[in-house]
Amino acid sequence: ADSVFITLASKGDLLARARELEALPEEQRGALHGVPFGVKDNIDVSGFPTTAACKDFLYHPSVSATVVEPLLAAGGVMVGKTNMDQFAAGLGGPRAPP
């Protein structure tokens, strides 16, 4: 991962999602069909660790947050968890995430 993303989807997962979406008949394709998106790392996404930019807080959610589900249902492609200030606290200086 680079400074924008804390966790990235694997190439295999992205290709599987693309195949899943492309297999849908055109009339079943959602408004976000194939649109990539990232989710801030304090929002749960099933299959991705959540850290809130703090490795000691890391856990693996079994379900996605309510806000993520409509994006996926509309055909969006979740590419990764984005970096943030630790716990979204707006910290600066030496306690800020790298």
Side-chain angles (χ1 to χ4, degrees):
D2 59 26
S3 61
V4 174
F5 288 96
I6 290 178
T7 307
L8 288 168
S10 72
K11 182 178 178 180
D13 287 344
L14 291 171
L15 290 172
R17 177 67 171 160
R19 284 191 292 274
E20 171 190 339
L21 292 171
E22 285 304 303
L24 292 172
E26 195 163 328
E27 63 275 4
Q28 292 181 11
R29 294 179 181 183
L32 297 178
H33 182 81
V35 175
F37 68 94
V39 174
K40 191 172 181 177
D41 194 40
N42 63 345
I43 299 172
D44 289 343
V45 179
S46 179
F48 288 83
T50 295
T51 70
C54 177
K55 292 177 183 168
D56 292 335
F57 182 72
L58 186 144
Y59 66 94
H60 296 274
S62 58
V63 296
S64 295
T66 304
V67 69
V68 175
E69 292 299 330
L71 300 172
L72 295 171
V77 179
M78 218 303 268
V79 298
K81 303 290 291 286
T82 60
N83 204 349
M84 55 183 277
D85 284 340
Q86 194 172 61
F87 299 113
L91 300 174
R95 295 195 57 201

